[in-house]
Amino acid sequence: MNFSVDAWVPGPFGLDAPKGSTVRARRTVLAVAHHVTAATRLADVMPLLETDLRVAVAYTAAPASVFTGGLDRHLRDLGGLVVPWRQAVGTRWDLVVAASHGMLENLHGPVMTVLHGAGPGKLLPRLRGAGPAAARPVTGLIRERLVVAGRVVPSSIVLAHDRHLEMLERECPEARPVAFAGGDPCLDRLVASLPYRERYRRALGVRPGQRLVFVSSTWNGDSLLGRRPDLLLRVAAELPRDRYRIVAALHPHVWAYHGKRQVMAWTADCRRLGVRLFPPEEGWRAGLVAADVLLGDHGSVGCYGAAIGVPVLLGTFPEDAVAPGTHVAGLGAIAPRVDWDRPLAPQLEDAAHSYSGRVHAAMRGAISSRPGEAARLIREEMYRLLRLPDRERPPLVEPVPLPAPGLPRAA
């Protein structure tokens, strides 16, 4: 974090709000990012409010995660008004919106949380230590983060699926009354982008007759990159460049924890061979819409890919890290697995035969039980918490942006 302890950002909130306000907003909203992953989901949600002249929005970074690397710069690049955490906790807000949990109890105002991935599907990694092992909670539904000092922290919890409400009832029954199924804004935007698939392919340099292979890895030691650090180099070396175009997305936590320079150095050789590496903030969604096949793991990207019709081939799938009965477990049950002792190209081609339209539709239905409705439902809830009437015009579901020119190739 680059803020000094005594930094204070003037803006249209707090006791001095009228001093410099040109447009006198009736409500103030704080968007809280715990890491870049959460910030990218807030970028889907906050535009639902930011166009309203009655509302002023500020951003802050919560120092509650080990993955805050690059977060401060990312928030500033968004162009929003960014306030330091110390100021955020010393100001009263009409609404606080977050896409993760941790330290939200320190903020003054009703808190609404949204998911920052494809929904709760993983188990919290077990802590190392000498004490006996215990049951692990489902990430995103951890009671110790939802309830602090005898009080449920969020005033509203947006979950994507009715099944998630049942999971919350088991994991943290005290929080169930404030939760509702509001759909998945990321999935809705991906579906809205499908008509523009050829545009995304052209932007990624896919030539006629080429197959676009999307390589995806989540974070942690059991991820595809964690299990196979030479992953991208092997894919680039095995797939003929005249027949295949390769793009890759690493979880933003990988970039945050290891640093951009280190990730770029680790991937230099494969980028020399033509692999396009998406930055952690955006671009991967356009690549997913454009892809012909995905090589991935138990992360959200593979689930989203399967939901929009992309065949998924699993390079690794740690069964003990996945919550039973979830959409992630469903992907593991249907997706073929890589045999790393065999050539990759035939396996990528064969993966398409493991799927049908019905399978893709089932995955879509497993992620969201409110397809196409997330923007409307989430906006309605935000206005309810703000105690303002919602606008009459329904919100638009925007296609994802074309991929930026991207990270430079290695020389």
Side-chain angles (χ1 to χ4, degrees), residues 130-352:
R136 291 178 292 165
V138 180
T139 56
L141 304 176
I142 301 171
R143 185 182 185 280
E144 290 77 10
R145 297 177 186 173
L146 292 170
V147 178
V148 177
R151 179 76 62 182
V152 176
V153 175
S155 297
S156 180
I157 301 172
V158 185
L159 298 172
H161 202 284
D162 293 324
R163 184 185 67 256
H164 300 156
L165 300 176
E166 300 171 4
M167 295 169 64
L168 180 63
E169 181 72 42
R170 296 194 301 269
E171 299 284 331
C172 184
E174 302 93 334
R176 175 61 185 85
V178 300
F180 74 103
D184 186 316
C186 181
L187 178 60
D188 288 352
R189 293 192 66 189
L190 287 168
V191 172
S193 304
L194 291 175
Y196 308 100
R197 182 172 186 266
E198 290 303 318
R199 292 189 188 182
Y200 297 128
R201 289 174 69 84
R202 287 196 299 269
L204 292 169
V206 182
R207 298 191 299 271
Q210 278 188 318
R211 302 271 285 166
L212 181 62
V213 177
F214 190 117
V215 183
S216 169
S217 176
T218 188
W219 65 281
N220 213 344
D222 59 7
S223 68
L224 184 51
L225 184 65
R227 294 277 176 86
R228 297 196 168 268
D230 64 342
L231 164 72
L232 293 177
L233 191 58
R234 175 169 175 179
V235 173
E238 284 199 30
L239 300 184
R241 294 177 68 174
D242 60 334
R243 292 173 49 202
Y244 295 94
R245 186 88 169 94
I246 305 166
V247 295
L250 307 180
H251 195 286
H253 285 2
V254 178
W255 297 82
Y257 203 73
H258 294 284
K260 179 180 178 181
R261 182 180 178 88
Q262 181 68 85
V263 173
M264 295 292 283
W266 281 339
T267 59
D269 287 341
C270 66
R271 287 185 291 115
R272 288 190 190 98
L273 294 174
V275 175
R276 176 167 179 158
L277 184 64
F278 291 120
E281 299 86 7
E282 187 58 271
W284 68 268
R285 294 189 289 190
L288 197 60
V289 173
D292 293 298
V293 64
L294 184 146
L295 173 60
D297 54 21
H298 60 304
S300 292
V301 175
C303 295
Y304 281 133
I308 63 170
V310 182
V312 176
L313 179 65
L314 292 173
T316 187
F317 193 82
E319 305 279 355
D320 61 343
V322 175
T326 62
H327 58 286
V328 183
L331 178 65
I334 61 174
R337 313 294 173 94
V338 172
D339 180 348
W340 291 101
D341 294 324
R342 292 174 51 215
L344 287 175
Q347 297 184 70
L348 290 168
E349 298 299 328
D350 289 344

Side-chain angles (χ1 to χ4, degrees), residues 44 47-48 185 188-189 192 372 374-376 379 393-399:
D44 286 337
L48 299 173
D188 288 352
R189 293 192 66 189
R376 177 183 65 82
R379 194 179 80 173
R393 181 181 298 177
L396 297 175
V397 180
E398 297 282 355

Side-chain angles (χ1 to χ4, degrees), residues 26 46 59 66 72 75 77 113 129 212 251 275 318 354:
R26 294 171 56 186
M46 299 316 297
Y59 289 77
V66 298
D72 178 45
L75 291 180
D77 286 346
T113 61
L212 181 62
H251 195 286
V275 175
S354 300

